Amino acid sequence: MTAADRDGWRAWPAPAKLNLFLRILGRRPDGYHRLQTVFQLLDWGDTVRLRLRDDGQVRRAGSAGYGVAEADDLVVRAAKLLQKEANVRQGVDIEVEKRIPLGGGFGGGSSDAATVLVALNHLWRAGLGEDALAALGLRLGADVPVFVRGRSAWAEGVGEELTPVDLPPAAYLLVDPGVSVPTAELFQTPDLTRDAAPATIADFVSGSELGNAFEPVLRRRSEAVEATLQALSQLGPAALTGTGGGCFARFGARADAEAARLRLPPGLRSWVAGGVAVSPLHRALSPG
């Protein structure tokens, strides 16, 4: 839904993502860690609604419902950053319909921010190119650029060095164990492997088991994550995504993922989503 919905509001998709693997190769002089990962974009996520204002104000409308102060909300920060950098006089009201669980590693906050940057660049006619928008996104968070660029990708650096990859069709069963651990806290964990050998795209394509550096750490410190991964592993290849508690299993067809969902233990929040090569946001901007 991207046309004017009601009273000047327009709705834009903010897709979730998965990290199909995640390695830490070392630490840079600036303290950030060098990573390797593959970002798989999904056909499911949040919805960001925008309504332009003539008074230059940037405001979050409605009840956000996810416990983030307006001034700290990435969507507000993204709008203000674009407004300043592009010297835009217009403002915007922002409303987010949250589906992606917070702190689960599914990229919700980063995707919402990227959708604000990309959609407002279009609506405000700010005229920034993709590289400039991705650079603004990186100032907001390491995962924002992949959503700005809108392609499933191999990623290096802190996650901003992106090479689009063609991934085989897949459906994913996503499960939220309800565990949210701050990323900075996880990076400080003493038993985190920070010096993995670099992998290659060929390693990934060949099916080599590359893993997620944070999975053993979270399995040890969270009974909920351990139990969820144990349950998922009975249904298909199970893994942790990102640095949150979110887990997933991959299937060749959506029907298989839906059938597996019915076999999950009761009480787990779960969704089925399809992998996509191109973000739903970018398809909305370029229909057809």
Side-chain angles (χ1 to χ4, degrees), residues 210-234:
L210 301 178
N212 182 325
F214 295 96
E215 184 173 317
V217 174
L218 275 167
R219 291 185 88 137
R220 283 192 292 270
R221 68 184 290 170
S222 170
E223 292 182 4
V225 170
E226 171 65 21
T228 298
L229 285 168
Q230 288 279 5
L232 272 175
S233 67
Q234 304 301 310

Side-chain angles (χ1 to χ4, degrees), residues 47-190:
T47 299
V48 175
R49 294 187 173 86
L50 303 172
R51 180 172 62 184
L52 300 187
R53 301 174 61 102
D54 294 327
D55 61 3
Q57 295 292 310
V58 174
R59 294 184 178 174
R60 189 177 69 185
S63 175
Y66 49 92
V68 180
E70 182 168 346
D72 298 328
D73 196 330
L74 279 181
V75 295
V76 174
R77 292 173 55 199
K80 289 183 174 181
L81 180 61
L82 177 62
Q83 187 184 50
K84 177 182 177 182
E85 295 297 320
N87 195 27
V88 171
R89 294 177 177 270
Q90 285 180 293
V92 67
D93 291 323
I94 307 170
E95 186 177 73
V96 181
E97 182 179 349
K98 291 295 297 180
R99 300 182 189 88
I100 304 172
L102 289 176
F106 296 113
S110 296
S111 186
D112 296 343
T115 290
V116 167
L117 288 175
V118 172
L120 282 181
N121 186 57
H122 170 72
L123 295 173
W124 280 342
R125 294 182 170 85
L128 272 64
E130 184 178 288
D131 289 346
L133 286 175
L136 291 185
L138 185 58
R139 291 164 61 179
L140 298 167
D143 285 353
V144 179
V146 71
F147 293 110
V148 168
R149 296 191 182 277
R151 303 291 188 278
S152 290
W154 174 276
E156 298 187 332
V158 297
E160 87 289 8
E161 299 172 15
L162 299 164
T163 302
V165 291
D166 292 323
L167 299 170
Y172 297 91
L173 174 55
L174 319 178
V175 180
D176 173 28
V179 175
S180 177
V181 181
T183 299
E185 181 181 324
L186 279 177
F187 271 111
Q188 299 305 315
T189 304

